[in-house]
Amino acid sequence: MPAPRTAPAAEPWPGGPEPLGARVCQGPGGVPGTNFALWAGDAEAVELCLFDEDGTETRCPLTEQTHGIWHGFVPGVLPGRHYGYRVHGRWDPWTGARWNPAKLLLDPYARAVDGEFALPPEVYGHVRDWPQQHVADTVRDDRDSAPYVPKGVVVGDGGGGERADRRPGTPWDETVVYELHVRGFTMRHPGVPPELRGTYAGLAHPAAVEHLTRLGVTAVELLPVHQFAHEDHLLRRGLRNHWGYNTIGYFAPHAAYAATGTRGRQVDEFRAMVRALHSAGIEVILDVVYNHTAEAGELGPTLSLRGVDNAGYYRLQPDPRRYADVTGCGNTLHVLRPQVLRLITDSLRYWVTEMGVDGFRFDLASALARTERDVDMLAPFLSAVAQDPVLRQVKLIAEPWDVGPGGYRVGAFPPLWAEWNDHYRDAVRDFWRGALPDVRDLGYRLSGSSDLYGWGGRRPYASVNFITAHDGFTLRDLVSYERKHNEANGEGNRDGSDDNRSWNCGAEGETDDPGVRTLRRRQLRNLLSTVLLSTGVPMLVAGDELGRTQGGNNNAYCQDNATGWVDWSLLEDPGWAALTELTARLIRLRRAHPVLRRPLFFTGRARPSDGVRDLAWFTPRGTEMTEADWYAPTTALGVYLSGRDLPQRDPRGGPVSDDSFLVLLHAGPAPLPFVLPGPPWARGYELLLDTARENQGAPPGTHHPAGESLGLPERSVLLLRALPTPDLRQKTE
């Protein structure tokens, strides 16, 4: 690679320390230009590096410093200009100082990035290939990294975010989350033009949006779209990071997902995607990774924060040469430091106010709630979010754990927060594979997990109920594999969880056995019905509703190929198309019936007038569950959901009532007689759903009198509408 061209140094005007980042504005005398501001508290000098179209670099020393922020205004710098920083200071890894001005650094506040990180040796602050690897991080590499790293892009302030009154504003209790990958969702979609596949514009295309609206989901949860880098160990194996949990730019939409090119146009494309989804009534939630960065541990590359102020941004061990790591990714951001807390909250507000998003799911959220010693629900980050006038109004979802001591905190996050509920995932998986010793845990999970969230004013929608997520088996693989098959990841099948709680229905992997195939599809219907009929916020994973498989790979983070992409050709199979329609039908049913999405926990108390409880549990004998029944082994459970006198109110404060339902779940391998509860619960029942039937296109419409011993098919879910009067007129949904 030829040596970079350089121009004579230019001296910026003083400018100002606010706001951080590169902001186009008018300088003294109305001169157009850009103000640059970078926090580098203990640095000795900072150079702004501007790049022309031909790659010529102009270095501009920032001589002004205010409270650790280096700043300057450069006349004539307008949107589209490439830039970076070189930061000078001590090279003393033994004390945590890792400044190296030979390395061009990405502005932590860059709002667009051009190029990808290829990670050759030149981008490492130390000599990556030093023979003695145990001390390699202490040997400084003085080669210039500028020719090998992406550049930040100056972006104008035009466009803005969505106005609040144009957002869907879906209440939590009406929310159905659909986790998807921008690239993976659209790469094989036949209705999306080839040039738009894998991009923000592709997700905004009517063909992609139509599937979301047909399903009826209310929010997409996008796997990371912040600018990220591929790990060195993947690049050496010819692989790439597909999921994106390796962030390097917290303000920049990942450039590789943009169809419109570079020079900041990806920002407008992202905004247009959000507008298209909002127009369809769909909220946009971002999966964000503020717990660590792509710079990894002490042997990682120097791309941004490490070179700006290593000890100022990262948690270091008592031996400051090493990084504290509660993320499993080599480093942890030091959120207790004001500049780091500001970086995160500034980023969050930017994505809400300027990019229009509606909420966030926080990867390894416990890492953000850590103080110097432990996870603390009064930690500065949680307190800052709770009082922030912008952030406290959006959807906040915690992945309530990290890999450090005491990091598993399911049920502990404060009000305002919802949580991924892995108790729900595990209990439902175990029930349907026949591994639950009793149904005590299942009862809590189906009814909103009050044992976890019934405190401090939290509501059932604090529980994000999921059976699968991006991390792990797909739903189809959950019923097709009992062992992970991650050989394609190149890690000797050692990566990924060994605790899958899966059942292959009698054969490992794909099979031609018609009995196994039929059983698997029934299990898929059971799992989808369970999550969509449970109290709480259901989360589905893109492609599960049409039988997507990853071939048993339960850690497809590096499979940016057909393994990690949604296979839309599955819809050509009538069986998978029927599964998609069942999913849409269940979501319609949920939307139509407020009893299925209660905003308050059940009380279990009987009404004085008739003795009917808002929630009742029944044995196959048709009797209410006793304490002994909860502890007894069983494969079947009946759940009665009363629609009388619901706790919610309509928009004018009036009472809300609904139909009542009986949900029967049976995970056993043989049919089971189930006596339907009689008065006061119901005088009869109308069958709406039977997962034992392959085609759910039309409800059976069968009526059953109370007290009948109904033949409950093996491994099935039945949904029945309670008929409170002798009039058995068939009702519509």
Side-chain angles (χ1 to χ4, degrees):
M1 170 103 33
R5 292 178 291 274
T6 59
E11 185 171 344
W13 299 355
E18 299 289 341
L20 290 170
R23 302 301 289 267
V24 178
C25 59
Q26 290 188 343
V31 175
T34 298
N35 190 82
F36 294 88
L38 174 74
W39 184 90
D42 290 330
E44 296 173 359
V46 173
E47 292 177 298
L48 167 68
C49 304
L50 300 172
F51 292 86
D52 296 335
E53 292 278 358
D54 63 1
T56 299
E57 176 183 353
T58 301
R59 299 185 184 182
C60 309
L62 298 181
T63 58
E64 301 292 326
Q65 192 215 87
T66 304
H67 305 310
I69 299 174
W70 301 76
H71 53 89
F73 174 84
V74 184
V77 172
L78 300 176
R81 189 72 176 271
H82 288 155
Y83 75 103
Y85 290 103
R86 298 180 187 272
V87 182
H88 299 254
R90 294 179 299 114
W91 175 261
D92 187 13
W94 294 269
T95 63
R98 293 183 178 271
W99 285 284
N100 185 345
K103 308 306 168 183
L104 185 75
L105 306 174
L106 183 68
D107 178 6
Y109 278 71
R111 292 192 283 177
V113 177
D114 274 1
E116 286 196 3
F117 292 93
L119 303 189
E122 288 83 356
V123 306
Y124 289 74
H126 65 281
V127 179
R128 187 186 71 178
D129 301 320
W130 191 255
Q132 292 80 37
Q133 278 292 292
H134 67 286
V135 294
D137 68 291
T138 68
V139 183
R140 195 172 83 167
D141 186 313
D142 291 325
R143 289 175 290 183
D144 186 9
S145 70
Y148 307 95
V149 294
K151 313 298 190 291
V153 182
V154 175
V155 176
D157 288 331
E162 290 284 276
R163 287 170 49 102
D165 59 355
R166 297 178 60 191
R167 299 173 185 267
T170 307
W172 262 121
D173 57 295
E174 298 178 15
T175 298
V176 178
V177 177
Y178 188 78
E179 187 195 48
L180 68 81
H181 188 287
V182 168
R183 180 170 167 83
F185 186 72
T186 58
M187 278 300 293
R188 303 178 71 181
H189 198 301
V192 176
E195 67 274 13
L196 299 183
R197 294 175 187 170
T199 70
Y200 306 119
L203 181 55
H205 190 274
V209 175
E210 188 275 336
H211 182 77
L212 301 173
T213 56
R214 182 160 64 94
L215 278 181
V217 298
T218 69
V220 291
E221 182 176 299
L222 305 182
L223 267 67
V225 295
H226 288 167
Q227 185 71 38
F228 64 87
H230 304 287
E231 294 91 331
D232 180 65
H233 69 90
L234 292 178
L235 295 173
R236 294 189 188 210
R237 295 202 299 269
L239 298 170
R240 295 158 57 88
N241 187 313
H242 177 52
W243 289 348
Y245 291 91
N246 208 38
T247 304
I248 196 60
Y250 289 118
F251 291 77
H254 190 60
Y257 296 162
T260 50
T262 57
R263 298 285 177 180
R265 288 186 288 269
Q266 57 265 49
V267 176
D268 292 332
E269 184 177 330
F270 185 94
R271 288 170 172 158
M273 176 197 72
V274 172
R275 287 194 295 271
L277 291 166
H278 281 181
S279 295
I282 298 170
E283 294 184 310
V284 178
I285 298 171
L286 302 188
D287 194 336
V288 289
V289 189
Y290 293 109
N291 56 78
H292 75 279
T293 76
E295 292 185 303
E298 60 269 13
L299 294 177
T302 295
L303 308 175
S304 182
L305 302 182
R306 172 177 284 132
V308 174
D309 196 319
N310 184 56
Y313 281 104
Y314 292 117
R315 287 180 180 263
L316 303 180
Q317 295 185 20
D319 171 7
R321 190 182 142 199
R322 312 293 184 191
Y323 292 81
D325 179 15
V326 298
T327 68
C329 299
N331 65 56
T332 306
L333 283 178
H334 205 329
V335 185
L336 293 180
R337 296 189 178 276
Q339 63 272 13
V340 181
L341 182 59
R342 177 181 177 181
L343 171 68
I344 295 172
T345 53
D346 282 354
S347 168
L348 292 169
R349 280 189 296 270
Y350 172 76
W351 287 95
V352 174
T353 60
E354 296 296 323
M355 304 296 269
V357 307
D358 305 283
F360 306 92
R361 178 266 185 188
F362 291 82
D363 180 67
L364 300 181
S366 291
L368 301 175
R370 284 189 176 271
T371 60
E372 291 290 355
R373 295 184 179 179
D374 202 357
V375 178
D376 185 348
M377 292 303 147
L378 296 176
F381 171 73
L382 296 179
S383 297
V385 169
Q387 60 78 44
D388 190 284
V390 172
L391 301 181
R392 68 187 182 212
Q393 297 186 55
V394 302
K395 288 185 166 70
L396 303 170
I397 304 171
E399 183 184 37
W401 51 77
D402 62 24
V403 302
Y408 184 79
R409 302 303 296 269
V410 173
F413 276 71
L416 290 183
W417 288 80
E419 300 175 17
W420 272 24
N421 186 353
D422 66 335
H423 287 243
Y424 181 94
R425 176 198 64 197
D426 294 347
V428 172
R429 287 187 180 194
D430 281 349
F431 176 74
W432 285 112
R433 70 188 180 107
L436 275 185
D438 52 54
V439 291
R440 285 176 292 159
D441 198 28
L442 183 68
Y444 276 118
R445 305 311 145 225
L446 298 177
S447 58
S449 295
S450 61
D451 59 327
L452 297 174
Y453 304 111
W455 62 273
R458 303 187 81 183
R459 302 290 185 88
Y461 47 74
S463 177
V464 176
N465 298 332
F466 69 104
I467 299 171
T468 58
H470 65 275
D471 188 2
F473 281 147
T474 66
L475 202 65
R476 178 175 170 182
D477 288 354
L478 188 69
V479 301
S480 304
Y481 296 89
E482 293 185 2
R483 303 183 304 277
K484 65 187 181 185
H485 297 267
N486 299 354
E487 291 80 7
N489 296 354
E491 300 177 40
N493 205 34
R494 295 183 300 273
D495 62 305
S497 175
D498 293 312
D499 181 21
N500 296 295
R501 300 173 187 252
S502 59
W503 177 48
N504 63 20
C505 298
E508 185 71 2
E510 296 302 308
T511 178
D512 293 328
D513 186 317
V516 172
R517 291 163 65 93
T518 297
L519 176 56
R520 287 176 177 175
R521 290 193 179 184
R522 180 183 293 196
Q523 288 288 78
L524 291 178
R525 295 193 292 273
N526 291 336
L527 291 163
L528 284 168
S529 298
T530 302
V531 73
L532 288 168
L533 294 175
S534 296
T535 301
V537 176
M539 185 185 83
L540 308 176
V541 178
D544 275 355
E545 76 281 3
L546 47 85
R548 184 174 79 91
T549 177
Q550 293 178 166
N553 192 321
N554 75 351
N555 189 35
Y557 78 104
C558 57
Q559 298 300 317
D560 186 11
N561 49 46
T563 297
W565 302 339
V566 174
D567 181 5
W568 295 96
S569 70
L570 292 165
L571 286 175
E572 299 170 7
D573 181 320
W576 298 126
L579 186 69
T580 304
E581 177 50 38
L582 172 64
T583 306
R585 182 167 174 251
L586 285 163
I587 294 175
R588 290 196 300 271
L589 191 74
R590 185 181 183 89
R591 182 172 61 244
H593 292 285
V595 69
L596 299 177
R597 42 181 175 80
R598 286 173 55 105
L600 295 174
F601 287 109
F602 296 96
T603 67
R605 292 191 292 268
R607 296 187 348 155
S609 59
D610 55 16
V612 172
R613 308 178 195 280
D614 57 2
L615 174 70
W617 306 92
F618 288 90
T619 71
R621 303 184 301 275
T623 58
E624 285 195 73
M625 296 274 287
T626 65
E627 184 174 359
D629 290 324
W630 284 110
Y631 283 84
T634 183
T635 63
L637 181 66
V639 189
Y640 183 91
L641 305 169
S642 175
R644 309 175 195 179
D645 302 330
L646 292 175
Q648 54 261 58
R649 294 290 178 261
D650 67 23
R652 296 191 176 189
V656 174
S657 61
D658 193 9
D659 292 317
S660 298
F661 294 94
L662 180 67
V663 184
L664 306 179
L665 303 97
H666 175 37
L672 179 74
F674 202 110
V675 177
L676 299 177
W681 307 101
R683 297 181 180 274
Y685 296 87
E686 177 189 3
L687 181 63
L688 298 180
L689 173 71
D690 178 0
T691 61
R693 301 175 67 251
E694 178 79 23
N695 188 346
Q696 293 289 333
T702 306
H703 298 96
H704 299 273
E708 176 186 339
S709 181
L710 179 67
L712 190 56
E714 70 276 11
R715 296 192 176 97
S716 62
V717 176
L718 269 62
L719 175 67
L720 302 105
R721 192 198 320 262
L723 302 174
T725 68
D727 180 8
L728 300 182
R729 297 188 307 268
Q730 181 166 332
K731 301 179 182 180
T732 59
E733 292 176 12

